[in-house]
Each structure stands twice: as structure tokens, then as C-alpha cells.
Amino acid sequence: MTIDRKAAITAYKERKTIAGIYVVRCAASGQAWVGQAPNLETIQNRIWFSLRQGSHTCSSLQATWNTQGEAGLSFGECERLEDEESAYVRNALLKERLLHWRDELKAEAI
């Protein structure tokens, strides 16, 4: 049992994460919000959790959630970044691509 647990922990620590840019959209209002994440696979859960709690830091997104509810918002990926060796390079690239997608989608940053 402990060998399986140790193997699972090791596999979790060694897993590859996919960094990138995501968008949250409101179909009713046409609003969009874009953000960057070091792990695209987990960011939606984090955002939806904070919205359910009423504690998201983006007030306009929280207000839209409060009026439209979960069904009124959708989550999507804009862009996945190539795996970078350096966290510094990855973070700089995320910032650059976030600005691009904000302009492209005429969206507010999260």
C-alpha cells in the first residue's frame, strides 16, 4: 500500500503542466475575460470555486456570475504554450500572449 502511495505522489510531482491563456465568456452580455495560467487543466475549477464563494477578485466577472449564474458563463482555452525550461521565459511569454488575446477579444483581464 505504501509503495503505491509513494509511486502516486512521485507521478503527481513529475506530471507535466500546460501553461496558456484562457477565456471566460458570457453569452448573454457578450462580455469576455482573459487570463493566464501556469496550468490550464486546473484553472477553471479555481475560478468557478471563487465565483461560487463570491470572492473572485475581478468584480465585473463576479457580478456577471451573480446575475447569470454558472450556466451563463463558458470557459475556453485560447492558446497553449510550448513547454519552457525556464519559469522566467514562460512567465514573460504568458504576459505577452495575454496582452495579445486581450486586444484580439476586446476582453478584460482576470
Side-chain angles (χ1 to χ4, degrees):
M1 187 69 155
T2 58
I3 294 173
D4 292 338
R5 184 172 183 271
K6 286 181 181 179
I9 290 170
T10 301
Y12 178 79
K13 289 180 179 178
E14 293 175 355
R15 77 191 188 293
K16 294 282 185 185
T17 59
I18 300 166
I21 308 299
Y22 62 89
V23 60
V24 177
R25 295 180 192 266
C26 175
S29 68
Q31 289 175 285
W33 299 264
V34 291
Q36 62 184 10
N39 188 352
L40 283 174
E41 295 174 354
T42 60
I43 192 67
Q44 182 181 2
N45 287 339
R46 185 178 319 151
I47 293 169
W48 263 226
F49 178 80
S50 63
L51 289 167
R52 282 188 202 107
Q53 301 302 311
S55 62
H56 198 279
T57 56
C58 179
S59 58
S60 62
L61 178 57
Q62 185 67 60
T64 301
W65 175 277
N66 294 343
T67 58
Q68 300 294 324
E70 183 173 351
L73 296 177
S74 64
F75 179 89
E77 293 181 9
C78 294
E79 180 177 359
R80 290 177 171 224
L81 299 183
E82 296 294 322
D83 192 24
E84 286 292 335
E85 292 292 323
S86 164
Y88 176 79
V89 172
R90 183 194 68 218
N91 291 339
L93 195 53
L94 280 170
K95 287 178 185 176
E96 175 188 314
R97 300 309 297 160
L98 177 65
L99 292 174
H100 165 79
W101 284 104
R102 275 184 63 193
D103 290 342
E104 181 80 19
L105 300 174
K106 304 203 180 350
E108 185 177 340
I110 297 179

